[in-house]
Amino acid sequence: MSGEHGIDPATALRAGKILEATREPRQGLAETDEAIAALNAVLTATPPGALRITILSNLGLIRMVRFQLTAAPADLDAAIDCFRDAQAAHTSHLPEGSHPGLSAVVPNLIGALHARAELTGHWDDLDEAILLGREAAVHIPPGLPQRAAALASLSSALRIRYERGGYDGDLTEAIDLGRQASADLPADHPRQGPVLSNLGSSLVAAGLWTDAVRAYEQAVERFAAAGDRHGRARTLTNLAAALAQSGLIEGALTASWAALEEFRALGDASDEARVKKNVASFLTGWAESTERDAPRRNRAGYARILADCARILGADDATTRGLADRLAALPDDAAPAGGTP
């Protein structure tokens, strides 16, 4: 690369490593900026063709990583520009059907447009994402993981449009596409985690709690197999919410404790706080329902859950203290020995 296009060897080597590991974990902003600089240097000396499209696609992905770190709209705009350029180059410079792996550009662009629509409220971006997804479903050959990714991205965009506009047809199509995307992939494919998690969210929007729980449970397994701890933790959080909505409070707490453990290990204080807030909400609803509907079964259930909260959240946590106060306020004969919540 360096000899032919005048790129210095160090930059070419670093760029090559980045291109070999598109989803390479990046520890922070400095490493992300270094990766962007290296690929930009190579891009300026790379002529039209498959390599240039690959570089643009990777730049878009790394810009998305930077957006996740900074939440800066300019990073999201830059990612979209990279994906648009890659898509245009793919369409204009390569024969149709060649380099099928580059079809990943389209689902990445759909996802970025979807993210910008949610960030800015400019819903034209979401409509464009849906249009691109429909085109991708027609033009990307069946059997490619990139087609499944495009279907999943289209499904997600349709679900968001349903949540905004309330058109039932969008949600029905989102669920159908999510199921199709999962079916198109081998059961152990690393993309199954994101695809199944997205399907779970569509099923939640439809109130299909049992199906949503199943999809989230499968997604948790696939994220774990792929070594994606953040994906696993976030899906555990969604699973907990679906279980709580189904009235399965102990299952919801078990999923929450697992998510909390992961977020703590990852040093993700923001998501850790979100899980704690969800737990407090689950327990408030459970306590009110239990006190109203099953007053003679309160004490044993409170005691067991209180012990878990004290062990995992700490005795001084507000949720733990709130449960302890509720338990103390119960009459001594509120439950027979061995009762369950």
Side-chain angles (χ1 to χ4, degrees):
M1 192 187 303
S2 59
E4 184 179 354
H5 300 302
I7 303 167
D8 71 271
T11 298
L13 178 62
R14 174 59 180 148
K17 289 180 178 178
I18 295 167
L19 293 176
E20 289 170 3
T22 303
R23 301 190 183 277
E24 168 188 342
R26 305 188 196 287
Q27 299 302 314
L29 196 57
E31 185 180 359
T32 301
D33 285 343
E34 190 274 337
I36 291 171
L39 287 185
N40 273 329
V42 176
L43 181 67
T44 59
T46 303
L51 177 59
R52 184 175 181 84
I53 297 168
T54 299
I55 294 170
L56 283 166
S57 180
N58 278 266
L59 267 172
L61 290 171
I62 299 170
R63 285 286 188 181
M64 288 296 290
V65 171
R66 196 178 198 282
F67 168 68
Q68 291 165 5
L69 292 170
T70 66
D75 287 323
L76 186 53
D77 292 343
I80 290 171
D81 288 344
C82 287
F83 292 139
R84 285 196 195 282
D85 289 347
Q87 181 202 23
H90 193 189
T91 302
S92 60
H93 293 293
L94 299 180
E96 185 173 354
S98 65
H99 301 278
L102 297 180
S103 300
V105 171
V106 176
N108 290 337
L109 176 56
I110 294 169
L113 287 167
H114 175 177
R116 190 166 69 178
E118 291 193 274
L119 180 71
T120 65
H122 295 159
W123 298 107
D124 287 349
D125 280 336
L126 190 64
D127 291 338
E128 181 184 357
I130 290 170
L131 178 61
L132 287 168
R134 296 196 192 287
E135 292 175 351
V138 172
H139 292 107
I140 300 177
L144 287 180
Q146 292 83 0
R147 186 172 189 272
L151 292 177
S153 295
L154 173 57
S155 170
S156 180
L158 285 164
R159 172 176 54 82
I160 294 300
R161 192 166 73 175
Y162 162 78
E163 292 171 353
R164 172 176 171 258
Y167 174 55
D168 289 342
D170 280 341
L171 183 57
T172 299
E173 187 178 4
I175 292 171
D176 290 344
L177 288 169
R179 285 175 168 151
Q180 183 179 343
S182 178
D184 283 353
L185 292 172
D188 60 350
H189 195 280
R191 285 188 185 271
Q192 281 284 12
V195 167
L196 287 165
S197 182
N198 174 69
L199 172 59
S201 297
S202 295
L203 292 165
V204 163
L208 299 173
W209 301 109
T210 300
D211 289 347
V213 165
R214 187 180 303 113
Y216 283 140
E217 287 175 338
Q218 292 172 343
V220 167
E221 293 176 2
R222 296 322 313 156
F223 277 123
D228 185 343
R229 298 184 70 181
H230 251 121
R232 177 176 180 270
R234 287 170 180 159
T235 304
L236 280 165
T237 304
N238 291 336
L239 171 61
L243 287 165
Q245 285 288 343
S246 301
L248 302 172
I249 187 63
E250 293 204 40
L253 291 174
T254 298
S256 295
W257 302 146
L260 195 64
E261 181 181 354
E262 286 281 39
F263 286 134
R264 284 174 173 171
L266 292 163
D268 188 336
S270 175
D271 278 321
E272 180 184 345
R274 181 163 62 93
V275 172
K276 289 181 179 179
K277 183 177 180 180
N278 289 348
V279 166
S281 176
F282 299 158
L283 290 177
T284 297
W286 167 78
E288 292 172 353
S289 175
T290 301
E291 290 166 7
R292 181 181 65 249
D293 300 331
R296 292 188 56 78
R297 296 192 300 169
N298 287 345
R299 182 168 293 278
Y302 268 101
R304 183 167 62 250
I305 291 175
L306 177 60
D308 283 342
C309 287
R311 176 171 53 86
I312 297 166
L313 300 178
D316 293 332
D317 184 84
T319 298
T320 306
R321 294 198 310 271
L323 278 180
D325 290 343
R326 282 182 178 270
L327 179 59
L330 292 176
D332 290 340
D333 62 349
T340 57

